[in-house]
Amino acid sequence: MKRILTALVLLPLFIGAVLAPDPLVFGTLVLVASVLCSAELERIGRASGIEPFPFLGPVWAACFLFGALWPDVFRLDAVLAAGPLALVAFALFGRVPLPGVLASSALACFTALYTGYLLGFMILVRKLGEPLGARLIFLGAIVVWAGDSAAYYVGSAIGRHKLAPAVSPGKTWEGAVANVAGGLLGASAVKLTFFADLEWRHAVALGLALSVVGQLGDLFESALKRGAGVKDSGTLLPGHGGFLDRLDSLVVNGPVLFFYHQALMT
C-alpha cells in the first residue's frame, strides 16, 4: 500500500513537470532529485567507510545541472575545472583525515558525475523541443517501468537462473529477458498512442537499448549498496526506498536517449 500511495503522489508531479512548457520546471524537478540522490550516494559512501567532503558532491552535481539549463553561463569546461580546484581546498583545509583524502575526493567526483552530469542529459532531452522532448522523456520512463514490472512478475513466477548473484541475488536471467520484452512492449505502446511519428525502427531500438542499459544501471547501484552493506539508498520514499533506488535506470538512460536522438533521429 505504501508503494502505491507514494507512486500516486509522485506520478502526477513527474507528468506535470515534463509537460510544463518551460523546461525550467522539469529542470527544477531534476535538480531536487539530484541533490537527494547525491545525499543518498554519500550515505552509501559513509557506510563503505568513506567520509564525504561536506556539500561538495551535491553542489558540484547541481552545477552540472545548471550547465544543462544555462550552458552559456555555466560552461561545461568551467564546471569541470571548478570541481578539482574545490577538491584541493577541501583536501587541504577540510576535516577529512589525510589517509581518507583520496577516497573522499573520488566520492565527490563520482557523486557529481553520476547524479549531476548524467542526470543533466534528461534536461537536455527535455530541451529538444515541443513535443519531442517530453515524448522522449515519457518513452524512457515507460520503457523502464514496463521492463521492471515484467521482470518482477516473470522473475517471481519462473525465475531459476541467477543473473548476478553476488550483486543482486533476486534477479534472474528469466527476469532480465522479460525486462527487455516489457521494454519493447512499452516502447510499442508509446509509438501507438502518443508518439505516432516515431519510426518503428527507432521504437524497437530504443526499447532494446533503454531496457538493457537500464538493467545495467540498476545492477550497478545494487553493487554499490551491497558493497556498503545497505539495503536501500534511502528512506524518503515509503515502499520504494530512496530516490536513487527509483532513478538508477533513468540516470544511465538519459545519455542513451540524448545521443541516440542526436546520432540517428536528426
Side-chain angles (χ1 to χ4, degrees):
M1 181 59 70
K2 289 182 179 180
R3 190 180 185 91
I4 295 175
L5 291 175
T6 301
L8 289 176
V9 172
L10 293 180
L11 189 58
L13 182 64
F14 171 73
I15 294 174
V18 174
L19 292 177
D22 187 351
L24 180 60
V25 177
F26 180 69
T28 301
L29 180 66
V30 174
L31 177 62
V32 172
S34 172
V35 171
L36 294 173
C37 286
S38 297
E40 292 176 355
L41 192 55
E42 291 188 342
R43 171 179 177 265
I44 294 174
R46 285 193 183 91
S48 300
I50 303 173
E51 183 60 32
F53 290 129
F55 307 112
L56 179 55
V59 171
W60 194 3
C63 288
F64 277 114
L65 296 178
F66 293 154
L69 286 167
W70 303 289
D72 294 334
V73 179
F74 292 86
R75 291 174 44 185
L76 179 59
D77 54 357
V79 174
L80 286 172
L85 292 176
L87 282 175
V88 171
F90 274 88
L92 293 176
F93 305 108
R95 299 179 180 178
V96 174
L98 288 180
V101 166
L102 179 59
S104 299
S105 300
L107 177 60
C109 289
F110 176 69
T111 298
L113 293 172
Y114 186 61
T115 67
Y117 180 65
L118 290 185
L119 266 180
F121 281 98
M122 298 300 288
I123 296 176
L124 296 181
V125 171
R126 181 61 187 85
K127 291 174 65 178
L128 288 174
E130 301 293 347
L132 176 63
R135 288 177 176 177
L136 285 174
I137 294 291
F138 284 132
L139 171 66
I142 290 172
V143 166
V144 169
W145 173 79
D148 285 348
S149 298
Y152 174 78
Y153 288 110
V154 172
S156 299
I158 63 172
R160 297 294 182 271
H161 301 87
K162 300 297 183 182
L163 177 63
V167 174
S168 185
K171 288 183 172 58
T172 63
W173 279 104
E174 292 84 354
V177 172
N179 190 306
V180 174
L184 287 171
L185 288 174
S188 300
V190 169
K191 155 71 178 175
L192 294 172
T193 52
F194 61 84
F195 208 162
D197 54 341
L198 178 68
E199 297 180 27
W200 273 111
R201 62 191 178 100
H202 294 317
V204 171
L206 284 170
L208 286 171
L210 295 172
S211 296
V212 172
V213 175
Q215 290 187 77
L216 294 176
D218 184 27
L219 285 172
F220 176 68
E221 197 236 355
S222 295
L224 295 178
K225 292 188 297 183
R226 185 160 291 273
V230 299
K231 182 178 184 296
D232 296 318
S233 65
T235 59
L236 290 176
L237 300 177
H240 293 265
F243 275 82
L244 199 55
D245 293 321
R246 293 301 92 204
L247 297 178
D248 50 10
S249 295
L250 291 177
V251 166
V252 293
N253 271 336
V256 175
L257 273 172
F258 180 77
F259 287 116
Y260 183 92
H261 172 268
Q262 297 299 94
L264 300 173
M265 295 178 69
T266 56

